[in-house]
Amino acid sequence: MPQMDVGLKRELEAKVYAGERLTREDGVALYESDDLAWLGRLAHHKRTELNGDRVMFNVNRHLNLTNVCSASCAYCSFQRKPGEKDAYTMRIDEAVRKAKEMEGEGLTELHIVNGLHPTLPWRYYPKVLRELKAALPGVKLKCFTATEVQWFEKISGLPASEILDELMDAGLESLTGGGAEIFDWEVRQHIVDHNCHWEDWSRIHRLAHSKGMKTPATMLYGHIEEPRHRVDHVMRLRELQDETGGFAVFIPLRYQHDFVDSADGKIRNRIQSRTTMAAPAESLRTFAVSRLMFDNVPHLKNFWVMHGLSVAQLSLNFGADDLDGSVVEYKITHDADSYGTPTTMHRDDLLNIIWDAGFQPVERNTRYEIVREYDKPVTLAERRSEPQQVWA
Ligand code: SF4
């Protein structure tokens, strides 16, 4: 990696400390920096300005109603075709039963994303939301990617506005941030196998924002894209945020290899043989540059399932201020134990991770409103007098 010109380094530093907006060229230069500690320092400055020493988290569970999907995105190991051994689609009563089983420990949010099922009728989706809401009235429903909403347009013949109205009436609190991957067509055409690209993705989130929703935005990094594509991704979202102010959080997601745990032993990820997963330093770099570039979104989330707990803790010093979540089961990536990720996490585990990293945990709801503030962390000197919890 080339050493960054000292003059440029000072210039970028001055811009960050003066609160000046960074340009596309600045973003690319930051990715090229060989000084990870410096990047972390800048991102931590920005993160502290925005969020102090708080780390937010929520108690949520993930539910995938079906893994049957009409598309075959190149990086996806979740989708199954109808009739495949471990293809499944939940009946509405099954989905409700499963959600009820997850209800313990003060659950505040259900996160629901699904395959683009070729034959399930549109009516299924508002119906399942209505029944989930009736069974779990205190739980917020964060459901569906923009890609799914565009799919609903196709299967219902209704415009997205009517679809969102009906879903909101049935209990939808927020869309999810998925389906974004990398917007630049140079990359997107090789990894995405459905018709929801930047134009539709941004149209649907803009519409959701106009109806009062706060939504997340994601970016799938570490596959065939280059840093300039990540910068372009954030620039598009930043511009949309200038217009709507509706994004609550940005979530960089580390691309995962398929760990072959399907019933038929098949690897579905078609770019696996020519890609490696991003190393921890690359993840920390991506968090830091994202925090610095995306200056108008309040929160930066680490979805720890995709990064492992060590990187999740470290990322709190590289711009991240939100840890999602206390997930017990997550189907889209799994077998992440090789990356230091346990299969279960509960509220107390998350609290300890945040305290151990020297931050104050704050429980939030889906709209990033504070549910409960916890104690500040004890000092490092005090912590070191006790045996330390070691996260793999
Ligand atoms: S990423 Fe989503 S749309 Fe693409 S194949 Fe997987 S489940 Fe289907």
Side-chain angles (χ1 to χ4, degrees):
M1 190 168 283
Q3 272 209 336
M4 184 186 270
D5 172 77
V6 178
L8 177 59
K9 205 167 171 179
R10 293 290 157 264
E11 198 185 302
L12 289 169
E13 211 171 272
K15 269 182 151 179
V16 170
Y17 288 118
E20 239 178 84
R21 179 164 271 195
L22 300 178
T23 64
R24 183 180 297 263
E25 293 70 34
D26 294 338
V28 174
L30 287 171
Y31 268 116
E32 282 171 2
S33 163
D34 56 334
D35 192 344
L36 190 60
W38 173 75
L39 263 184
R41 210 158 57 240
L42 294 187
H44 193 63
H45 168 77
K46 190 78 200 161
R47 172 245 202 271
T48 308
E49 264 187 351
L50 290 166
N51 294 298
D53 66 350
R54 289 176 160 184
V55 174
M56 292 193 143
F57 71 95
N58 68 342
V59 181
N60 68 359
R61 294 289 183 275
H62 286 238
L63 185 67
N64 306 113
L65 300 170
T66 178
N67 62 356
V68 176
C69 188
S70 303
S72 301
C73 298
Y75 57 84
C76 180
S77 41
F78 171 69
Q79 53 86 16
R80 298 289 184 273
K81 298 303 165 214
E84 280 198 70
K85 253 187 186 165
D86 46 2
Y88 73 88
T89 301
M90 291 183 193
R91 292 189 319 271
I92 291 177
D93 61 316
E94 268 181 273
V96 172
R97 184 171 45 75
K98 184 112 179 125
K100 285 294 281 180
E101 285 168 14
M102 297 171 167
E103 195 185 6
E105 290 193 47
L107 179 70
T108 63
E109 176 187 281
L110 264 183
H111 180 118
I112 302 178
V113 291
N114 319 287
L116 310 175
H117 195 289
T119 55
L120 263 183
W122 148 243
R123 307 291 339 152
Y124 168 87
Y125 299 95
K127 192 151 190 261
V128 80
L129 258 51
R130 261 180 229 291
E131 301 214 4
L132 285 170
K133 199 71 202 167
L136 300 126
V139 173
K140 302 283 187 221
L141 301 176
K142 185 162 84 182
C143 315
F144 312 125
T145 61
T147 309
E148 289 180 85
V149 173
Q150 193 217 33
W151 180 254
F152 300 155
E153 289 185 288
K154 181 175 165 174
I155 61 175
S156 68
L158 297 170
S161 181
E162 280 181 44
I163 284 168
L164 290 182
D165 286 345
E166 178 147 5
L167 292 174
M168 288 169 82
D169 187 58
L172 181 71
E173 176 74 21
S174 168
L175 294 179
T176 69
E181 327 313 358
I182 287 285
F183 290 124
D184 191 316
W185 187 245
E186 202 177 28
V187 172
R188 195 171 182 85
Q189 63 183 311
H190 299 295
I191 60 168
V192 166
D193 180 45
H194 51 68
N195 294 323
C196 188
H197 306 304
W198 168 247
E199 294 69 21
D200 284 307
W201 195 98
S202 57
R203 170 178 64 86
I204 288 164
H205 278 265
R206 184 182 282 111
L207 197 57
H209 298 168
S210 75
K211 291 176 187 291
M213 270 191 227
K214 289 284 180 195
T215 67
T218 62
M219 171 176 77
L220 187 71
Y221 72 92
H223 40 90
I224 59 169
E225 91 292 359
E226 294 172 24
R228 67 189 164 95
H229 300 119
R230 294 182 210 164
V231 173
D232 174 79
H233 191 88
V234 168
M235 296 286 289
R236 292 180 196 227
L237 291 166
R238 188 171 83 175
E239 209 171 297
L240 182 54
Q241 179 75 337
D242 278 342
E243 182 192 325
T244 68
F247 291 117
V249 60
F250 182 56
I251 316 166
L253 298 171
R254 185 171 74 143
Y255 156 79
Q256 307 276 306
H257 276 185
D258 188 344
F259 294 99
V260 200
D261 63 350
S262 60
D264 55 15
K266 269 193 209 161
I267 292 179
R268 287 173 173 77
N269 181 334
R270 299 197 306 282
I271 47 174
Q272 181 154 318
S273 58
R274 59 193 174 100
T275 50
T276 51
M277 287 170 59
E282 189 56 23
S283 293
L284 295 176
R285 184 185 309 281
T286 306
F287 276 98
V289 181
S290 300
R291 179 63 287 170
L292 291 167
M293 293 298 297
F294 212 162
D295 56 359
N296 54 358
V297 69
H299 302 289
L300 185 72
K301 179 190 287 188
N302 187 318
F303 181 52
W304 57 261
V305 179
M306 284 187 165
H307 297 90
L309 293 177
S310 303
V311 172
Q313 263 192 328
L314 283 170
S315 73
L316 302 177
N317 283 291
F318 283 77
D321 69 289
D322 185 20
L323 281 186
D324 183 359
S326 58
V327 183
V328 167
E329 183 179 13
Y330 184 68
K331 282 182 183 295
I332 292 181
T333 61
H334 29 228
D335 194 21
D337 288 14
S338 11
Y339 294 87
T341 309
T343 50
T344 57
M345 278 275 284
H346 300 274
R347 187 194 307 257
D348 285 348
D349 302 318
L350 268 175
L351 291 175
N352 284 325
I353 282 173
I354 296 167
W355 277 319
D356 281 351
F359 292 88
Q360 183 192 7
V362 175
E363 186 171 344
R364 63 164 176 84
N365 63 17
T366 306
R367 295 184 74 87
Y368 284 81
E369 292 155 350
I370 294 173
V371 172
R372 180 175 168 189
E373 298 198 51
Y374 289 82
D375 293 340
K376 295 262 184 192
V378 291
T379 63
L380 187 61
E382 283 174 273
R383 274 185 287 139
R384 290 187 73 82
S385 65
E386 296 286 325
Q388 298 292 293
Q389 166 79 57
V390 177
W391 303 100

